[in-house]
Amino acid sequence: MGIVLMALTLLMWGCEKSTTDAYPYTFKFITENYKPLNYIENSGVEGLAPDLLKEICKRMNIPFIVELLPWNEGYALTQNTPNAVLFSTVLNSARKDLFKWAGPIASLDWVFYSLPSFINTINSLDDAKKSGIKIGVVKDYSIEQYLKQEGFTNFIYCTDNVNAFDKLIKGEIDLYPCDKITAQAALKSLNKSIYSVTAKYTIRTDLLYYAFNKQVPDEVVADFQQTIDILKREGKLRALTQEYLYSLESPGVLQVYTEQYPPLTFRNINGEITGFGTDVALEIMKRTGSLEHIKLSNWSNGYELALNNPNVCLFTMDRTPLRQNLFQWVGPIGTNTTWFYTKAGSGITITSIDNAKTLTSIGTVTSWFSDQHLRSLGFNNLVSNSDPKVMAKKLMDGEIKAFVCSGVTFGDILKEIGYQYSSVVPAFSLMSSDYFIAFSKNTPESVVSKWQTALESAKQDGTYNAIYSKWFQ
């Protein structure tokens, strides 16, 4: 959020002269004081997003004029001003249809921060909802909107990040969701360090964009996007990310996500993202000549990004009737069978879908195809979590009667929590299905086609079989 005293400050800088005509559209750029993405320093606007915008303006011959406002004011003004552009803005399901978008220019990993003296264990969102826990939020921030969707009501409203961390340090709130770089900047302004607080739980990843008023012509937004993509390829965004966010990982032209789902995709003990699906995706990218950084996310977060954001790739995903028209598809790259698993020795048998409906509780993973499928069949006894290890633990602890999971990965999930596959029984087969690499609907068809061609080439020359044999001997 911006500092209130700066709310109506208008900051103007001219872009360098160009020999071409001025761009035939006038913009009203709006941002907030949210260091290190956008902030005031030495009477000028600084940060990753303004510096990138200055370069965009220079190349498109656009005057660089920025108005700083508190977030909620800028958010409302952009929706009601035909030529307005708001940055840096998270694209999510609540905002997707309110603006037009160019980017992404950065990603934020939202984390619950607490004081070191806060003794509550936070291993899930449900843990953070518990009675008595006070969570600080800023109105209309994307993370506030997300937590509302997840059923949170235990909010204490703050004016901005600095105010929120001040409340946290004073004990007026117990948790505050923020990204690490922004947390460091806010704490520094309070003469505190990041070591004054503790990261308790990583909530989700969001991508940041320039958000355009809906009346801005599509071709104008496309010009912005094309210029951003050029700057990404030239390394400008990577350099700004290193300068302001102290990271070498900046968003590429295509965002590639996967999940912790061994042996298909996972982060190994050396910190590398690997697995059968990862090796296939890397081989495809090598053949298309466009290598993008693969990022690990929980499934529900990655699924939402691919559903809402342009140019997102997510693997591996089962292709089901419910998902068929929501994504574009490359594959198949494999097949698996999904089972109702019970705990060995529990005496629970499942003989049919109708029989499964009579159980008091069945565990599923949020946004997995099996969860979606069972809900479409009318199951009302589902207990869900975004982390499959949490649900596997509930099965082994007797908190749920059955857990729905694919046979190709459940053994590895059990191993991660200290059990063997022999500890469970595949009681009833729900379905067999192919899994694919999925792309968001507004990814260019040419990109999807290149990936499919590269996969088919790898299958024809034996590379795919070699990768398969490496992981499934």
Side-chain angles (χ1 to χ4, degrees):
M1 289 294 292
I3 298 174
V4 175
L5 293 177
M6 301 298 298
L8 299 178
T9 302
L10 189 65
L11 302 160
M12 301 179 64
W13 296 264
C15 295
E16 294 183 10
K17 297 287 185 181
S18 172
T19 56
T20 60
D21 293 336
Y23 191 79
Y25 194 85
T26 302
F27 299 90
K28 182 180 181 64
F29 296 115
I30 301 170
T31 192
E32 63 167 336
N33 201 340
Y34 193 94
K35 193 172 184 177
L37 294 170
N38 349 272
Y39 60 97
I40 300 299
E41 189 166 279
N42 300 323
S43 301
V45 65
E46 302 290 341
L48 183 150
D51 280 11
L52 184 65
L53 184 58
K54 289 174 191 175
E55 188 64 30
I56 294 170
C57 287
K58 176 181 176 181
R59 299 198 180 200
M60 295 178 64
N61 203 22
I62 298 168
F64 181 60
I65 304 172
V66 177
E67 184 174 5
L68 259 75
L69 294 171
W71 176 257
N72 57 343
E73 292 183 25
Y75 186 72
L77 183 63
T78 303
Q79 294 179 64
N80 295 299
T81 305
N83 64 337
V85 185
L86 179 66
F87 66 93
S88 306
T89 310
V90 168
L91 195 169
N92 58 26
S93 58
R95 298 172 176 174
K96 179 180 179 181
D97 297 326
L98 298 180
F99 304 97
K100 295 178 181 180
W101 305 88
I105 60 172
S107 65
L108 292 181
D109 291 323
W110 295 98
V111 175
F112 274 132
Y113 285 97
S114 75
L115 290 179
S117 57
F118 182 72
I119 61 174
N120 296 56
T121 300
I122 307 294
N123 289 325
S124 68
L125 291 181
D126 286 342
D127 288 340
K129 293 179 185 176
K130 290 178 180 176
S131 176
I133 295 178
K134 301 185 291 291
I135 298 177
V137 292
V138 178
K139 182 174 174 55
D140 289 333
Y141 270 18
S142 66
I143 194 64
E144 182 241 10
Q145 294 173 335
Y146 172 73
L147 293 175
K148 273 186 176 180
Q149 291 175 1
E150 293 297 311
F152 280 77
T153 58
N154 50 334
F155 291 153
I156 300 293
Y157 279 90
C158 310
T159 56
D160 54 32
N161 286 317
V162 176
N163 177 246
F165 277 103
D166 185 48
K167 288 181 182 292
L168 185 64
I169 291 167
K170 291 177 178 177
E172 296 174 17
I173 59 176
D174 301 306
L175 298 172
Y176 182 60
C178 190
D179 67 282
K180 183 177 180 179
I181 298 298
T182 305
Q184 287 177 321
L187 287 162
K188 184 177 180 181
S189 71
L190 296 169
N191 295 317
K192 301 287 184 179
S193 78
I194 192 67
Y195 304 108
S196 303
V197 298
T198 299
K200 297 293 287 188
Y201 178 75
T202 300
I203 305 166
R204 61 183 284 109
T205 297
D206 278 324
L207 297 173
L208 296 168
Y209 292 76
Y210 297 105
F212 295 73
N213 179 277
K214 292 280 284 186
Q215 294 187 42
V216 175
D218 289 346
E219 56 269 23
V220 171
V221 181
D223 286 345
F224 252 80
Q225 185 64 64
Q226 184 180 34
T227 306
I228 291 170
D229 290 346
I230 290 171
L231 291 169
K232 286 181 178 181
R233 293 188 181 101
E234 291 178 356
K236 179 66 174 179
L237 181 58
R238 187 181 303 110
L240 290 173
T241 301
Q242 185 173 0
E243 176 183 354
Y244 286 105
L245 304 185
Y246 310 112
S247 172
L248 296 176
E249 297 180 7
S250 60
V253 175
L254 179 69
Q255 315 312 310
V256 184
Y257 285 91
T258 190
E259 64 170 330
Q260 186 74 12
Y261 194 66
L264 297 183
T265 59
F266 63 100
R267 191 187 300 278
N268 64 21
I269 59 174
N270 297 318
E272 302 164 328
I273 298 176
T274 187
F276 168 67
T278 304
D279 280 356
V280 172
L282 288 170
E283 180 64 27
I284 290 172
M285 285 192 278
K286 183 175 74 174
R287 292 178 184 234
T288 61
S290 181
L291 187 65
E292 299 286 1
H293 179 68
I294 298 175
K295 294 167 282 292
L296 198 71
S297 173
N298 68 55
W299 179 256
S300 58
N301 188 191
Y303 187 87
E304 184 180 352
L305 288 170
L307 194 62
N308 295 317
N309 295 54
N311 299 304
V312 174
C313 167
L314 177 63
F315 66 90
T316 59
M317 186 188 294
D318 285 73
R319 186 174 182 172
T320 66
L322 286 172
R323 296 171 172 173
Q324 175 64 37
N325 297 321
L326 299 178
F327 304 96
Q328 301 181 75
W329 304 92
V330 168
I333 63 171
T335 301
N336 66 49
T337 300
T338 298
W339 298 85
F340 288 94
Y341 284 95
T342 59
K343 183 179 179 180
S346 66
I348 298 172
T349 59
I350 301 174
T351 57
S352 67
I353 292 295
D354 288 338
N355 178 228
K357 288 182 179 180
T358 67
L359 298 180
T360 55
S361 56
I362 295 176
T364 61
V365 178
T366 309
S367 296
W368 276 14
F369 73 98
S370 49
D371 176 81
Q372 296 171 332
H373 180 61
L374 292 179
R375 292 183 189 279
S376 73
L377 295 177
F379 276 72
N380 56 16
N381 57 345
L382 303 182
V383 178
S384 301
N385 189 280
S386 61
D387 188 342
K389 294 192 297 295
V390 170
M391 299 315 302
K393 185 73 164 52
K394 286 182 180 292
L395 176 67
M396 302 314 297
D397 289 346
E399 295 180 26
I400 55 176
K401 301 301 182 183
F403 175 42
V404 179
C405 193
S406 66
V408 74
T409 193
F410 196 34
D412 289 273
I413 294 171
L414 286 166
K415 191 180 300 182
E416 286 191 57
I417 63 170
Y419 291 92
Q420 299 298 316
Y421 188 76
S422 58
S423 303
V424 299
V425 175
F428 184 77
S429 172
L430 174 63
M431 66 173 73
S432 290
S433 56
D434 293 332
Y435 50 91
F436 289 70
I437 297 170
F439 288 81
S440 53
K441 285 289 284 185
N442 42 9
T443 302
E445 291 183 8
S446 59
V447 172
V448 181
S449 178
K450 285 181 181 178
W451 277 57
Q452 184 66 51
T453 299
L455 174 61
E456 291 170 358
S457 173
K459 287 183 176 182
Q460 290 170 2
D461 66 21
T463 305
Y464 170 87
N465 285 339
I467 296 172
Y468 189 91
S469 296
K470 170 186 173 182
W471 293 99
F472 305 110
Q473 294 181 3

